[in-house]
Amino acid sequence: MSKYDVVMGAVITKPRTSLENKTGSWRTRRPVVDVEKCVNCLLCWIYCPDSAIIRLEDHIAINYDYCKGCGICAEECPRKAITMVEEG
Amino acid sequence: MGRRIGLMGDEAVAYAVKQCDVGLVSAYPITPQTIMVERISEYVANGEIDTEFVCVESEHSALSVCVGASLSGLRVFTATASQGLALMHEVLYAASGLRCPIVMAVANRALSAPLNIHCDHSDMMGSRDCGWVQVFAENVQEAYDWVIQAFKIAEHPDVQLPTVVNLDGFTLTHCMEDVEVLEDEDVKKFLPPRKPIYWVDPKQPMTFGAWAMPNYYYKFKLQQQEAIMRSLRVVKEVGEEFGKLTGRRYDTLYGYGLEDAEVAVLSMGSTSGTIRYTARRLRESDGLKVGALKLWLFRPFPEEDLVSALEKVKVLIVLDRALSPGAVFGPLGSDIASLMVKHGLDFKLLNYTYGLGGDEVTPEMAEKLFKLGLKVAEGAKPPSLTGYVREVV
Ligand code: SF4
Ligand code: SF4
Protein backbone atom coordinates (compact mmCIF):
# COMPACT_ATOMS: atom_id res chain seq x y z
CA MET A 1 0.00 0.00 0.00
CA SER A 2 2.75 2.46 0.91
CA LYS A 3 6.04 2.99 -0.84
CA TYR A 4 7.63 3.67 2.55
CA ASP A 5 8.62 0.94 4.99
CA VAL A 6 7.41 2.80 8.08
CA VAL A 7 4.40 2.30 10.36
CA MET A 8 1.52 4.75 9.82
CA GLY A 9 1.67 7.75 12.17
CA ALA A 10 5.09 6.73 13.53
CA VAL A 11 3.43 4.29 15.89
CA ILE A 12 5.83 1.93 17.65
CA THR A 13 3.78 -1.22 17.85
CA LYS A 14 5.98 -3.17 20.30
CA PRO A 15 6.63 -2.09 23.88
CA ARG A 16 10.11 -1.70 25.46
CA THR A 17 11.89 -0.98 22.18
CA SER A 18 13.81 1.79 23.96
CA LEU A 19 15.90 -1.01 25.50
CA GLU A 20 17.23 -1.80 22.02
CA ASN A 21 18.50 1.72 21.48
CA LYS A 22 21.58 2.06 23.64
CA THR A 23 21.96 5.78 24.24
CA GLY A 24 25.19 5.55 26.27
CA SER A 25 27.20 6.56 23.20
CA TRP A 26 25.77 10.10 23.45
CA ARG A 27 27.85 10.61 26.65
CA THR A 28 30.86 12.94 26.72
CA ARG A 29 31.46 12.63 30.46
CA ARG A 30 30.92 9.52 32.56
CA PRO A 31 29.82 9.32 36.21
CA VAL A 32 32.15 7.20 38.36
CA VAL A 33 30.97 5.97 41.77
CA ASP A 34 33.19 5.73 44.81
CA VAL A 35 31.50 2.77 46.51
CA GLU A 36 33.33 3.52 49.77
CA LYS A 37 31.58 6.90 50.04
CA CYS A 38 28.16 5.73 48.79
CA VAL A 39 25.63 5.19 51.62
CA ASN A 40 22.92 3.85 49.29
CA CYS A 41 20.49 6.70 49.98
CA LEU A 42 19.20 6.38 46.35
CA LEU A 43 18.81 10.10 45.74
CA CYS A 44 20.71 9.62 42.48
CA TRP A 45 18.34 6.78 41.56
CA ILE A 46 15.39 9.14 42.03
CA TYR A 47 16.97 11.98 40.05
CA CYS A 48 18.50 10.13 37.09
CA PRO A 49 16.38 11.09 34.04
CA ASP A 50 17.47 8.00 32.13
CA SER A 51 16.83 5.34 34.78
CA ALA A 52 20.50 4.46 34.48
CA ILE A 53 21.22 3.93 38.21
CA ILE A 54 21.37 0.27 39.18
CA ARG A 55 20.44 -0.61 42.77
CA LEU A 56 22.77 -3.11 44.43
CA GLU A 57 22.82 -4.54 47.95
CA ASP A 58 25.08 -1.91 49.61
CA HIS A 59 25.63 0.77 46.99
CA ILE A 60 24.61 1.85 43.48
CA ALA A 61 26.20 1.30 40.08
CA ILE A 62 25.81 3.03 36.73
CA ASN A 63 24.32 1.40 33.66
CA TYR A 64 26.64 2.79 30.99
CA ASP A 65 24.51 1.36 28.19
CA TYR A 66 21.93 4.10 28.80
CA CYS A 67 23.61 6.78 30.98
CA LYS A 68 23.82 9.93 28.84
CA GLY A 69 26.29 11.65 31.15
CA CYS A 70 24.15 14.59 32.23
CA GLY A 71 25.82 14.78 35.65
CA ILE A 72 22.64 15.22 37.66
CA CYS A 73 23.51 12.26 39.91
CA ALA A 74 26.90 13.78 40.74
CA GLU A 75 25.27 17.14 41.46
CA GLU A 76 22.61 15.63 43.75
CA CYS A 77 24.70 13.08 45.68
CA PRO A 78 24.94 14.39 49.27
CA ARG A 79 28.08 12.27 49.89
CA LYS A 80 29.96 13.50 46.80
CA ALA A 81 30.34 9.83 45.91
CA ILE A 82 29.98 10.41 42.15
CA THR A 83 32.58 12.20 40.03
CA MET A 84 32.20 13.09 36.36
CA VAL A 85 35.23 12.20 34.26
CA GLU A 86 35.89 12.93 30.58
CA GLU A 87 35.13 10.07 28.20
CA GLY A 88 37.66 8.82 25.72
CA MET B 1 -36.11 8.61 3.23
CA GLY B 2 -35.32 11.92 4.83
CA ARG B 3 -37.40 14.49 6.67
CA ARG B 4 -37.31 18.24 6.03
CA ILE B 5 -36.68 20.54 8.97
CA GLY B 6 -35.56 24.12 9.45
CA LEU B 7 -31.99 24.37 10.73
CA MET B 8 -29.26 26.98 10.93
CA GLY B 9 -25.85 25.89 9.66
CA ASP B 10 -24.55 25.45 13.21
CA GLU B 11 -27.57 23.37 14.17
CA ALA B 12 -27.32 21.27 11.02
CA VAL B 13 -23.71 20.38 11.85
CA ALA B 14 -24.69 19.53 15.44
CA TYR B 15 -27.59 17.42 14.18
CA ALA B 16 -25.27 15.47 11.89
CA VAL B 17 -22.83 14.91 14.75
CA LYS B 18 -25.70 13.69 16.90
CA GLN B 19 -26.49 11.04 14.28
CA CYS B 20 -22.89 9.94 13.74
CA ASP B 21 -22.47 8.15 17.08
CA VAL B 22 -19.49 10.28 18.10
CA GLY B 23 -17.52 9.05 21.14
CA LEU B 24 -16.07 12.38 22.22
CA VAL B 25 -16.41 16.07 21.52
CA SER B 26 -13.94 18.50 23.03
CA ALA B 27 -14.31 22.23 22.57
CA TYR B 28 -13.60 25.63 23.98
CA PRO B 29 -17.05 26.97 24.82
CA ILE B 30 -16.96 30.74 24.23
CA THR B 31 -16.04 33.19 21.44
CA PRO B 32 -14.99 32.40 18.75
CA GLN B 33 -16.89 29.15 19.32
CA THR B 34 -20.14 28.61 17.49
CA ILE B 35 -23.58 27.30 18.36
CA MET B 36 -22.49 23.90 17.00
CA VAL B 37 -20.95 22.73 20.25
CA GLU B 38 -23.61 24.50 22.29
CA ARG B 39 -26.25 22.31 20.63
CA ILE B 40 -24.11 19.21 21.03
CA SER B 41 -23.69 19.94 24.74
CA GLU B 42 -27.48 20.22 25.01
CA TYR B 43 -27.90 16.82 23.34
CA VAL B 44 -25.44 15.39 25.87
CA ALA B 45 -27.11 17.12 28.84
CA ASN B 46 -30.53 15.89 27.75
CA GLY B 47 -29.26 12.35 27.49
CA GLU B 48 -30.06 12.18 23.77
CA ILE B 49 -26.52 10.97 22.98
CA ASP B 50 -23.89 9.35 25.18
CA THR B 51 -21.00 11.31 23.70
CA GLU B 52 -18.33 12.41 26.19
CA PHE B 53 -18.23 16.22 26.13
CA VAL B 54 -14.96 17.72 27.34
CA CYS B 55 -15.03 21.45 27.92
CA VAL B 56 -11.52 22.93 27.91
CA GLU B 57 -9.77 26.26 28.44
CA SER B 58 -8.52 26.88 24.88
CA GLU B 59 -8.73 25.60 21.33
CA HIS B 60 -5.17 24.33 21.64
CA SER B 61 -6.36 22.09 24.45
CA ALA B 62 -9.58 21.20 22.64
CA LEU B 63 -7.77 19.72 19.69
CA SER B 64 -5.15 18.13 21.95
CA VAL B 65 -7.91 16.30 23.84
CA CYS B 66 -9.36 15.25 20.48
CA VAL B 67 -5.99 13.83 19.39
CA GLY B 68 -5.70 11.78 22.59
CA ALA B 69 -9.26 10.53 22.31
CA SER B 70 -8.82 9.68 18.64
CA LEU B 71 -5.67 7.71 19.44
CA SER B 72 -7.69 5.74 21.96
CA GLY B 73 -9.88 4.60 19.05
CA LEU B 74 -12.93 6.84 19.49
CA ARG B 75 -14.82 8.72 16.81
CA VAL B 76 -14.08 12.38 17.61
CA PHE B 77 -15.50 15.76 16.62
CA THR B 78 -14.71 19.38 17.38
CA ALA B 79 -15.59 22.78 15.97
CA THR B 80 -14.04 26.21 15.93
CA ALA B 81 -13.69 29.45 13.95
CA SER B 82 -11.15 32.15 13.08
CA GLN B 83 -8.80 32.85 16.05
CA GLY B 84 -9.72 29.47 17.51
CA LEU B 85 -8.39 27.68 14.46
CA ALA B 86 -5.28 29.85 14.61
CA LEU B 87 -4.72 28.80 18.22
CA MET B 88 -5.08 25.14 17.20
CA HIS B 89 -2.48 25.55 14.48
CA GLU B 90 0.35 23.41 15.87
CA VAL B 91 -2.00 20.66 16.98
CA LEU B 92 -3.52 20.48 13.48
CA TYR B 93 -0.19 19.10 12.28
CA ALA B 94 0.02 16.66 15.20
CA ALA B 95 -3.45 15.35 14.36
CA SER B 96 -2.59 14.67 10.72
CA GLY B 97 0.91 13.38 11.45
CA LEU B 98 -0.46 10.98 14.06
CA ARG B 99 -3.09 9.97 11.50
CA CYS B 100 -6.10 10.78 13.71
CA PRO B 101 -9.35 10.72 11.71
CA ILE B 102 -10.89 13.60 13.65
CA VAL B 103 -13.68 15.58 12.01
CA MET B 104 -13.85 19.31 12.65
CA ALA B 105 -16.28 21.92 11.43
CA VAL B 106 -14.86 25.40 10.91
CA ALA B 107 -17.14 28.40 10.72
CA ASN B 108 -14.98 30.43 8.34
CA ARG B 109 -14.42 33.86 9.80
CA ALA B 110 -11.92 36.70 9.50
CA LEU B 111 -8.80 36.98 11.63
CA SER B 112 -7.94 40.03 13.76
CA ALA B 113 -6.86 42.81 13.44
CA PRO B 114 -9.03 44.78 13.07
CA LEU B 115 -11.43 42.76 15.16
CA ASN B 116 -14.12 41.24 12.98
CA ILE B 117 -16.29 38.18 13.42
CA HIS B 118 -17.70 37.89 9.90
CA CYS B 119 -17.07 35.56 7.05
CA ASP B 120 -13.95 35.06 5.03
CA HIS B 121 -11.60 32.13 4.47
CA SER B 122 -8.43 33.58 6.06
CA ASP B 123 -8.65 31.16 8.98
CA MET B 124 -8.54 27.98 6.88
CA MET B 125 -6.09 29.42 4.33
CA GLY B 126 -3.74 30.25 7.21
CA SER B 127 -3.67 26.55 8.08
CA ARG B 128 -3.85 25.35 4.49
CA ASP B 129 -0.84 23.05 4.73
CA CYS B 130 -1.85 21.29 7.95
CA GLY B 131 -2.38 17.96 6.17
CA TRP B 132 -6.14 17.70 6.76
CA VAL B 133 -8.63 16.82 4.03
CA GLN B 134 -10.50 20.10 3.48
CA VAL B 135 -14.00 20.51 2.06
CA PHE B 136 -16.15 23.63 1.71
CA ALA B 137 -19.95 23.65 1.93
CA GLU B 138 -22.10 25.97 -0.17
CA ASN B 139 -25.24 25.89 1.95
CA VAL B 140 -26.68 24.45 5.15
CA GLN B 141 -27.75 21.22 3.45
CA GLU B 142 -24.21 20.67 2.23
CA ALA B 143 -22.75 21.39 5.66
CA TYR B 144 -25.01 18.67 7.12
CA ASP B 145 -24.21 16.24 4.29
CA TRP B 146 -20.46 16.85 4.40
CA VAL B 147 -20.17 16.20 8.15
CA ILE B 148 -21.64 12.72 7.74
CA GLN B 149 -19.43 12.02 4.72
CA ALA B 150 -16.38 13.50 6.45
CA PHE B 151 -16.33 10.76 9.10
CA LYS B 152 -16.49 8.11 6.41
CA ILE B 153 -13.68 9.74 4.41
CA ALA B 154 -11.46 10.39 7.43
CA GLU B 155 -11.86 6.90 8.89
CA HIS B 156 -11.44 5.05 5.60
CA PRO B 157 -8.56 2.55 6.01
CA ASP B 158 -6.80 4.08 2.99
CA VAL B 159 -7.04 7.60 4.41
CA GLN B 160 -6.86 7.78 8.23
CA LEU B 161 -6.55 11.55 8.18
CA PRO B 162 -8.41 14.35 9.92
CA THR B 163 -11.01 16.14 7.83
CA VAL B 164 -12.33 19.66 8.11
CA VAL B 165 -15.75 20.76 6.91
CA ASN B 166 -15.73 24.49 6.21
CA LEU B 167 -18.93 26.51 6.27
CA ASP B 168 -19.12 30.26 5.85
CA GLY B 169 -19.45 32.08 9.16
CA PHE B 170 -22.86 33.73 9.66
CA THR B 171 -23.84 33.39 6.00
CA LEU B 172 -24.34 29.67 6.69
CA THR B 173 -23.77 29.17 10.42
CA HIS B 174 -26.50 31.61 11.46
CA CYS B 175 -28.97 31.35 8.59
CA MET B 176 -31.88 28.97 8.74
CA GLU B 177 -32.56 26.80 5.74
CA ASP B 178 -34.86 24.01 4.82
CA VAL B 179 -32.70 20.91 5.35
CA GLU B 180 -33.44 17.32 4.47
CA VAL B 181 -32.06 15.19 7.28
CA LEU B 182 -31.58 11.45 7.19
CA GLU B 183 -33.18 9.01 9.57
CA ASP B 184 -30.84 7.88 12.36
CA GLU B 185 -30.86 4.27 11.10
CA ASP B 186 -29.83 5.36 7.60
CA VAL B 187 -26.85 7.27 9.00
CA LYS B 188 -25.94 4.21 11.09
CA LYS B 189 -25.96 2.01 8.01
CA PHE B 190 -23.97 4.52 5.96
CA LEU B 191 -21.45 5.10 8.74
CA PRO B 192 -20.62 1.94 10.69
CA PRO B 193 -18.58 2.25 13.93
CA ARG B 194 -14.97 3.36 13.54
CA LYS B 195 -12.41 0.58 13.13
CA PRO B 196 -9.10 1.99 14.35
CA ILE B 197 -5.89 0.41 13.06
CA TYR B 198 -3.68 1.23 16.06
CA TRP B 199 -5.05 2.49 19.34
CA VAL B 200 -3.91 3.15 22.89
CA ASP B 201 -4.64 0.03 24.90
CA PRO B 202 -2.93 -0.97 28.17
CA LYS B 203 -3.33 -4.62 27.18
CA GLN B 204 -1.11 -4.18 24.15
CA PRO B 205 1.21 -1.26 24.85
CA MET B 206 2.39 0.86 21.91
CA THR B 207 4.18 4.18 21.57
CA PHE B 208 2.35 7.12 19.94
CA GLY B 209 3.96 10.44 19.15
CA ALA B 210 7.48 9.06 18.88
CA TRP B 211 10.49 10.97 17.66
CA ALA B 212 11.69 10.45 14.09
CA MET B 213 15.28 11.11 13.09
CA PRO B 214 16.08 12.83 9.75
CA ASN B 215 16.49 9.47 8.01
CA TYR B 216 12.88 8.55 8.90
CA TYR B 217 10.96 11.82 9.29
CA TYR B 218 10.59 12.42 5.54
CA LYS B 219 9.26 8.89 5.04
CA PHE B 220 6.44 9.47 7.51
CA LYS B 221 5.58 12.78 5.83
CA LEU B 222 5.62 11.28 2.34
CA GLN B 223 3.49 8.39 3.56
CA GLN B 224 1.03 10.99 4.85
CA GLN B 225 1.09 12.59 1.41
CA GLU B 226 0.24 9.21 -0.17
CA ALA B 227 -2.76 8.97 2.14
CA ILE B 228 -4.15 12.42 1.33
CA MET B 229 -3.77 11.68 -2.39
CA ARG B 230 -5.68 8.40 -1.90
CA SER B 231 -8.47 10.37 -0.23
CA LEU B 232 -9.32 11.85 -3.65
CA ARG B 233 -10.70 8.50 -4.74
CA VAL B 234 -12.38 7.97 -1.38
CA VAL B 235 -14.13 11.36 -1.49
CA LYS B 236 -15.63 10.40 -4.87
CA GLU B 237 -16.68 6.93 -3.72
CA VAL B 238 -18.26 8.26 -0.54
CA GLY B 239 -19.98 11.04 -2.50
CA GLU B 240 -21.47 8.52 -4.86
CA GLU B 241 -22.69 6.24 -2.08
CA PHE B 242 -24.18 9.24 -0.29
CA GLY B 243 -25.89 10.17 -3.55
CA LYS B 244 -27.52 6.75 -3.79
CA LEU B 245 -28.81 7.12 -0.25
CA THR B 246 -30.07 10.71 -0.48
CA GLY B 247 -30.32 11.71 -4.14
CA ARG B 248 -27.65 14.32 -3.42
CA ARG B 249 -24.49 13.12 -5.10
CA TYR B 250 -21.22 14.69 -4.05
CA ASP B 251 -17.88 14.89 -5.81
CA THR B 252 -14.73 16.98 -5.69
CA LEU B 253 -16.36 19.87 -7.54
CA TYR B 254 -19.60 20.95 -9.15
CA GLY B 255 -19.75 22.64 -12.51
CA TYR B 256 -22.60 24.52 -14.18
CA GLY B 257 -22.72 25.45 -17.85
CA LEU B 258 -19.17 24.30 -18.46
CA GLU B 259 -20.08 22.25 -21.53
CA ASP B 260 -19.94 25.45 -23.62
CA ALA B 261 -19.04 28.31 -21.25
CA GLU B 262 -16.33 30.65 -22.48
CA VAL B 263 -16.10 32.38 -19.14
CA ALA B 264 -16.27 30.58 -15.82
CA VAL B 265 -15.98 31.75 -12.24
CA LEU B 266 -14.39 29.41 -9.70
CA SER B 267 -15.31 29.82 -6.04
CA MET B 268 -15.71 28.00 -2.73
CA GLY B 269 -18.35 28.22 -0.02
CA SER B 270 -21.62 30.13 -0.03
CA THR B 271 -20.56 32.53 -2.80
CA SER B 272 -20.79 29.62 -5.22
CA GLY B 273 -24.58 29.85 -4.97
CA THR B 274 -24.56 33.53 -5.91
CA ILE B 275 -22.23 32.84 -8.82
CA ARG B 276 -24.28 29.92 -10.17
CA TYR B 277 -27.55 31.83 -9.79
CA THR B 278 -26.09 34.71 -11.78
CA ALA B 279 -24.61 32.42 -14.43
CA ARG B 280 -27.97 30.73 -14.89
CA ARG B 281 -29.77 34.06 -15.21
CA LEU B 282 -27.26 35.34 -17.78
CA ARG B 283 -27.47 32.12 -19.78
CA GLU B 284 -31.25 31.86 -19.70
CA SER B 285 -32.19 35.50 -20.26
CA ASP B 286 -29.27 36.78 -22.34
CA GLY B 287 -27.88 33.56 -23.83
CA LEU B 288 -24.40 34.39 -22.56
CA LYS B 289 -21.84 31.59 -22.56
CA VAL B 290 -20.93 31.69 -18.89
CA GLY B 291 -20.46 28.96 -16.32
CA ALA B 292 -19.84 28.44 -12.63
CA LEU B 293 -17.42 26.07 -10.96
CA LYS B 294 -17.70 25.31 -7.27
CA LEU B 295 -14.82 23.58 -5.55
CA TRP B 296 -16.05 21.25 -2.81
CA LEU B 297 -12.69 19.64 -2.16
CA PHE B 298 -9.82 22.06 -1.63
CA ARG B 299 -7.29 19.56 -0.20
CA PRO B 300 -6.31 17.31 -1.78
CA PHE B 301 -6.62 19.56 -4.84
CA PRO B 302 -8.64 17.66 -7.48
CA GLU B 303 -6.27 18.29 -10.38
CA GLU B 304 -7.69 15.85 -12.93
CA ASP B 305 -11.30 16.84 -12.29
CA LEU B 306 -10.42 20.52 -12.66
CA VAL B 307 -8.52 19.92 -15.88
CA SER B 308 -11.51 18.20 -17.47
CA ALA B 309 -14.01 20.72 -16.08
CA LEU B 310 -12.02 23.60 -17.55
CA GLU B 311 -11.41 22.02 -20.95
CA LYS B 312 -13.55 24.49 -22.94
CA VAL B 313 -13.08 27.62 -20.84
CA LYS B 314 -11.32 30.65 -22.39
CA VAL B 315 -11.34 32.92 -19.35
CA LEU B 316 -11.35 31.70 -15.76
CA ILE B 317 -12.00 34.11 -12.93
CA VAL B 318 -10.82 32.62 -9.63
CA LEU B 319 -12.30 34.13 -6.49
CA ASP B 320 -10.28 34.03 -3.28
CA ARG B 321 -11.97 34.91 0.00
CA ALA B 322 -8.63 35.36 1.74
CA LEU B 323 -5.82 37.81 1.22
CA SER B 324 -2.32 36.47 0.82
CA PRO B 325 -0.42 39.67 1.55
CA GLY B 326 2.51 40.24 -0.76
CA ALA B 327 1.85 37.15 -2.86
CA VAL B 328 1.43 36.98 -6.64
CA PHE B 329 -2.05 35.40 -6.47
CA GLY B 330 -4.43 34.40 -3.70
CA PRO B 331 -4.27 30.81 -2.36
CA LEU B 332 -6.82 29.38 -4.81
CA GLY B 333 -5.51 31.51 -7.68
CA SER B 334 -1.99 30.19 -7.03
CA ASP B 335 -3.23 26.62 -7.13
CA ILE B 336 -4.93 27.22 -10.47
CA ALA B 337 -1.84 28.94 -11.87
CA SER B 338 0.21 25.88 -10.79
CA LEU B 339 -2.36 23.61 -12.39
CA MET B 340 -2.07 25.54 -15.66
CA VAL B 341 1.70 25.16 -15.69
CA LYS B 342 1.66 21.49 -14.68
CA HIS B 343 -1.04 20.46 -17.16
CA GLY B 344 -0.28 22.96 -19.93
CA LEU B 345 -3.67 24.70 -19.79
CA ASP B 346 -3.95 27.92 -21.75
CA PHE B 347 -7.03 29.87 -20.67
CA LYS B 348 -6.73 33.41 -19.41
CA LEU B 349 -6.57 33.57 -15.59
CA LEU B 350 -7.95 36.43 -13.53
CA ASN B 351 -7.70 36.11 -9.76
CA TYR B 352 -9.62 38.46 -7.53
CA THR B 353 -10.02 38.65 -3.77
CA TYR B 354 -13.46 39.41 -2.36
CA GLY B 355 -15.71 39.33 0.67
CA LEU B 356 -13.09 40.00 3.35
CA GLY B 357 -14.46 40.28 6.88
CA GLY B 358 -18.02 39.67 5.71
CA ASP B 359 -17.95 42.21 2.87
CA GLU B 360 -21.05 41.74 0.70
CA VAL B 361 -21.08 39.50 -2.32
CA THR B 362 -24.02 40.39 -4.54
CA PRO B 363 -25.44 38.99 -7.78
CA GLU B 364 -24.74 42.42 -9.35
CA MET B 365 -21.04 41.97 -8.60
CA ALA B 366 -21.13 38.48 -10.04
CA GLU B 367 -22.80 39.82 -13.18
CA LYS B 368 -20.11 42.49 -13.59
CA LEU B 369 -17.45 39.80 -13.21
CA PHE B 370 -19.01 37.65 -15.92
CA LYS B 371 -19.33 40.64 -18.25
CA LEU B 372 -15.69 41.56 -17.64
CA GLY B 373 -14.74 37.97 -18.39
CA LEU B 374 -16.71 38.02 -21.66
CA LYS B 375 -14.90 41.18 -22.79
CA VAL B 376 -11.56 39.57 -21.98
CA ALA B 377 -12.62 36.49 -23.94
CA GLU B 378 -13.14 38.80 -26.94
CA GLY B 379 -9.63 40.13 -26.57
CA ALA B 380 -10.06 43.19 -24.32
CA LYS B 381 -7.39 43.88 -21.72
CA PRO B 382 -8.70 43.49 -18.14
CA PRO B 383 -8.16 46.46 -15.76
CA SER B 384 -5.90 44.13 -13.77
CA LEU B 385 -5.24 40.42 -13.39
CA THR B 386 -5.48 40.59 -9.61
CA GLY B 387 -7.12 42.89 -7.09
CA TYR B 388 -10.19 43.24 -4.90
CA VAL B 389 -13.50 42.56 -6.67
CA ARG B 390 -15.17 45.74 -5.38
CA GLU B 391 -12.33 47.81 -6.88
CA VAL B 392 -12.02 45.89 -10.14
CA VAL B 393 -15.65 45.87 -11.29
S1 SF4 C 1 25.07 11.09 34.55
FE1 SF4 C 1 22.88 11.51 34.28
S2 SF4 C 1 22.21 9.79 33.06
FE2 SF4 C 1 24.16 9.17 33.86
S3 SF4 C 1 23.65 8.08 35.72
FE3 SF4 C 1 24.01 10.20 36.31
S4 SF4 C 1 22.00 11.13 36.28
FE4 SF4 C 1 21.81 9.22 35.13
S1 SF4 D 1 23.18 9.73 45.89
FE1 SF4 D 1 25.30 9.26 46.34
S2 SF4 D 1 25.25 8.26 48.26
FE2 SF4 D 1 23.17 8.25 47.55
S3 SF4 D 1 23.04 6.30 46.50
FE3 SF4 D 1 23.62 7.75 44.96
S4 SF4 D 1 25.86 7.64 44.92
FE4 SF4 D 1 25.19 6.64 46.79
Side-chain angles (χ1 to χ4, degrees):
Chain A
M1 182 67 113
S2 175
K3 212 171 112 185
Y4 305 97
D5 57 337
V6 292
V7 181
M8 186 188 84
V11 177
I12 300 172
T13 54
K14 278 184 296 177
R16 296 164 70 88
T17 51
S18 57
L19 292 175
E20 288 162 27
N21 297 312
K22 305 227 162 132
T23 47
S25 62
W26 300 15
R27 199 170 52 231
T28 55
R29 292 184 310 152
R30 72 162 52 212
V32 176
V33 192
D34 181 343
V35 295
E36 297 302 317
K37 284 193 193 157
C38 173
V39 293
N40 218 11
C41 71
L42 297 183
L43 269 180
C44 56
W45 178 76
I46 291 168
Y47 276 104
C48 173
D50 284 304
S51 307
I53 304 284
I54 303 165
R55 293 166 63 171
L56 300 174
E57 191 71 14
D58 299 319
H59 55 84
I60 60 98
I62 310 286
N63 185 339
Y64 292 112
D65 280 348
Y66 303 104
C67 163
K68 291 192 197 126
C70 66
I72 291 172
C73 53
E75 187 67 28
E76 295 297 338
C77 173
R79 296 279 297 158
K80 305 253 170 289
I82 302 179
T83 340
M84 300 301 290
V85 302
E86 292 295 321
E87 281 285 1
Chain B
M1 229 9 249
R3 287 173 295 123
R4 302 197 78 88
I5 51 175
L7 291 173
M8 295 192 304
D10 281 336
E11 294 172 331
V13 168
Y15 197 88
V17 170
K18 176 179 181 240
Q19 294 181 305
C20 286
D21 203 12
V22 171
L24 176 138
V25 172
S26 180
Y28 177 65
I30 54 171
T31 305
Q33 190 49 269
T34 64
I35 299 159
M36 295 175 211
V37 298
E38 202 176 311
R39 286 290 175 274
I40 295 169
S41 70
E42 285 168 11
Y43 291 141
V44 173
N46 295 342
E48 291 175 69
I49 46 174
D50 54 11
T51 304
E52 177 91 27
F53 191 96
V54 186
C55 211
V56 288
E57 77 291 355
S58 78
E59 286 84 358
H60 188 281
S61 304
L63 191 55
S64 300
V65 168
C66 288
V67 166
S70 183
L71 290 176
S72 80
L74 289 179
R75 176 170 291 157
V76 176
F77 176 85
T78 189
T80 193
S82 61
Q83 311 300 130
L85 185 65
L87 189 50
M88 279 180 182
H89 187 71
E90 67 164 330
V91 193
L92 294 172
Y93 289 71
S96 58
L98 291 166
R99 308 293 297 276
C100 298
I102 298 164
V103 170
M104 169 158 66
V106 172
N108 298 119
R109 286 160 41 171
L111 291 171
S112 285
L115 191 59
N116 175 294
I117 57 168
H118 294 281
C119 177
D120 70 32
H121 297 162
S122 323
D123 48 8
M124 194 66 247
M125 292 304 142
S127 288
R128 184 190 64 176
D129 295 334
C130 63
W132 290 46
V133 174
Q134 297 165 37
V135 296
F136 283 79
E138 178 190 314
N139 50 41
V140 174
Q141 181 72 60
E142 287 189 10
Y144 170 84
D145 292 344
W146 272 121
V147 169
I148 297 170
Q149 295 177 87
F151 283 110
K152 192 149 181 152
I153 297 162
E155 294 171 7
H156 192 286
D158 292 350
V159 179
Q160 299 284 310
L161 281 173
T163 299
V164 56
V165 176
N166 291 280
L167 63 156
D168 283 351
F170 292 95
T171 317
L172 298 184
T173 57
H174 289 61
C175 282
M176 191 173 279
E177 281 179 26
D178 183 16
V179 180
E180 189 178 299
V181 295
L182 290 163
E183 295 302 339
D184 294 353
E185 310 82 73
D186 290 334
V187 178
K188 272 205 169 62
K189 260 183 256 155
F190 178 79
L191 186 69
R194 179 183 163 198
K195 286 202 193 81
I197 297 174
Y198 303 111
W199 66 97
V200 176
D201 179 358
K203 286 193 221 91
Q204 61 189 63
M206 294 186 196
T207 301
F208 294 83
W211 150 259
M213 293 286 275
N215 52 345
Y216 277 103
Y217 180 85
Y218 76 92
K219 294 190 182 179
F220 288 111
K221 297 320 277 184
L222 294 177
Q223 194 176 62
Q224 200 182 315
Q225 164 80 350
E226 289 177 330
I228 200 166
M229 293 319 286
R230 280 198 298 266
S231 75
L232 258 175
R233 192 200 78 231
V234 175
V235 167
K236 291 170 92 73
E237 284 170 7
V238 169
E240 192 164 338
E241 191 186 335
F242 194 80
K244 282 192 191 125
L245 179 66
T246 61
R248 296 184 298 278
R249 189 174 179 275
Y250 285 83
D251 206 316
T252 62
L253 47 77
Y254 182 81
Y256 168 76
L258 298 177
E259 52 299 331
D260 65 352
E262 293 188 353
V263 177
V265 174
L266 171 66
S267 59
M268 299 196 295
S270 61
T271 307
S272 309
T274 313
I275 300 293
R276 199 170 55 251
Y277 161 82
T278 310
R280 180 171 294 132
R281 195 164 52 76
L282 294 176
R283 282 176 80 89
E284 286 172 3
S285 61
D286 306 339
L288 299 179
K289 291 202 164 167
V290 293
L293 183 53
K294 160 173 74 178
L295 199 59
W296 268 320
L297 183 67
F298 176 63
R299 285 293 183 270
F301 203 61
E303 290 183 39
E304 304 298 335
D305 288 351
L306 277 162
V307 169
S308 35
L310 295 171
E311 222 172 11
K312 301 244 167 62
V313 168
K314 287 190 186 147
V315 175
L316 180 67
I317 302 176
V318 176
L319 293 182
D320 262 299
R321 201 164 189 171
L323 197 62
S324 182
V328 180
F329 284 132
L332 190 51
S334 301
D335 280 333
I336 294 295
S338 312
L339 189 81
M340 292 173 77
V341 172
K342 188 170 168 187
H343 296 268
L345 311 180
D346 71 348
F347 49 79
K348 188 101 185 141
L349 174 64
L350 308 175
N351 178 211
Y352 302 132
T353 312
Y354 77 101
L356 296 181
D359 189 12
E360 278 259 70
V361 189
T362 61
E364 291 71 42
M365 260 181 197
E367 181 173 340
K368 284 184 192 162
L369 278 173
F370 279 120
K371 298 223 159 125
L372 169 69
L374 287 165
K375 276 194 208 130
V376 174
E378 282 159 17
K381 209 171 130 50
S384 66
L385 297 179
T386 58
Y388 194 68
V389 167
R390 206 178 259 294
E391 297 180 350
V392 176
V393 294

